[in-house]
Amino acid sequence: MIEIRTPRLILRRWHDDDLVPMADINADPRVMEWIRDGSVRDLEATADDIERWEEEWDEEGFGLFAVELLASGELIGFVGLSVPEFLPEVLPAVEIGWRLGQQFWGQGYASEAAHATLEFALQDRGLDRVISITRPGNEASQNVMRKLGMEPERETTHPVYGHALTVYAIDLTEFAA
Ligand SMILES: CC(C)(COP(=O)(O)OP(=O)(O)OC[C@H]1O[C@@H](n2cnc3c(N)ncnc32)[C@H](O)[C@@H]1OP(=O)(O)O)[C@@H](O)C(=O)NCCC(=O)NCCS
């Protein structure tokens, strides 16, 4: 069983009970503003997402963690690792990503979970490099990247949607855990 505890969070694999709270997060246009074409995802699409995320865990030995508040057990979203298949030019690569419900922004949870995820990537999975891909306007996401010590490495365009993308990267051998 993979479970990581941080001072305020539990990072774990997905349970059936996560579907409804994750679908609520995916249904919020502000959460989805910078993701793909900005469209929200309904319950069915979220169920497909969670199934895919669990498959990635089984196939790769890493994936997107369900992130839960230690104090209340509430699901606040995901933070974790994935292979960015949508952007072939950066492959092979492992990407760190995050998506939290709006009511959980601004409390340092994304950074806390992301820090633990990079430790997991290095110490448990032996990865030496992790990237993160975002749209240039997504300041909140780039703020997390910079705080982790990630640096912008490449500008490109989304192969499907055609919008600009910025790729950040970190050499985990220099990551101060
Ligand atoms: C991207 C996203 C996860 C960032 O979340 P966030 O809450 O802004 O990120 P952080 O966890 O770093 O918290 C930020 C702020 O919390 C505040 N904060 C409050 N308590 C804190 C604590 N105990 N520790 C640290 N920060 C704390 C700080 O002010 C910090 O801001 P600062 O870095 O400017 O000082 C969130 O905006 C999101 O889910 N967006 C929608 C999905 C998305 O766009 N995903 C990325 C696609 S590329």
Side-chain angles (χ1 to χ4, degrees):
M1 190 184 70
I2 295 171
E3 184 177 291
I4 298 174
R5 284 180 185 236
T6 70
R8 298 180 295 168
L9 305 170
I10 297 177
L11 280 61
R12 55 162 175 78
R13 285 184 62 165
W14 295 83
H15 301 161
D16 291 346
D17 290 355
D18 298 325
L19 173 58
V20 170
M22 193 65 223
D24 285 345
I25 294 168
N26 278 345
D28 180 344
R30 273 197 68 202
V31 169
M32 300 305 286
E33 179 179 1
W34 300 105
I35 296 161
R36 296 190 210 94
D37 62 350
S39 55
V40 296
R41 295 180 72 69
D42 64 13
L43 192 76
E44 201 180 326
T46 304
D48 291 345
D49 289 343
I50 293 177
E51 195 179 322
R52 205 164 23 82
W53 299 340
E54 276 294 300
E55 275 169 20
E56 186 154 32
W57 270 108
D58 291 338
E59 283 163 17
E60 303 285 354
F62 57 73
L64 299 179
F65 289 105
V67 180
E68 178 183 309
L69 282 188
L70 198 54
S72 65
E74 254 174 307
L75 183 87
I76 68 169
F78 73 68
V79 174
L81 303 171
S82 63
V83 176
E85 306 278 5
F86 74 94
L87 195 59
E89 69 184 68
V90 299
L91 298 175
V94 177
E95 179 186 15
I96 186 168
W98 30 70
R99 186 184 307 165
L100 302 186
Q102 218 185 120
Q103 67 272 40
F104 304 109
W105 296 356
Q107 298 172 67
Y109 292 141
S111 294
E112 187 169 318
H115 203 270
T117 298
L118 289 186
E119 277 178 13
F120 168 79
L122 176 67
Q123 291 164 9
D124 288 66
R125 292 298 173 259
L127 299 172
D128 55 13
R129 186 171 180 278
V130 167
I131 66 168
S132 196
I133 305 163
T134 190
R135 293 181 66 177
N138 193 346
E139 271 304 322
S141 193
Q142 287 174 78
N143 183 37
V144 179
M145 293 172 197
R146 285 190 293 264
K147 286 191 290 183
L148 291 168
M150 304 189 85
E151 287 177 1
E153 193 181 70
R154 166 198 305 235
E155 303 288 335
T156 186
T157 49
H158 195 296
V160 176
Y161 303 116
H163 54 235
L165 292 173
T166 305
V167 181
Y168 280 68
I170 184 167
D171 176 353
L172 289 182
T173 59
E174 290 174 12
F175 172 62

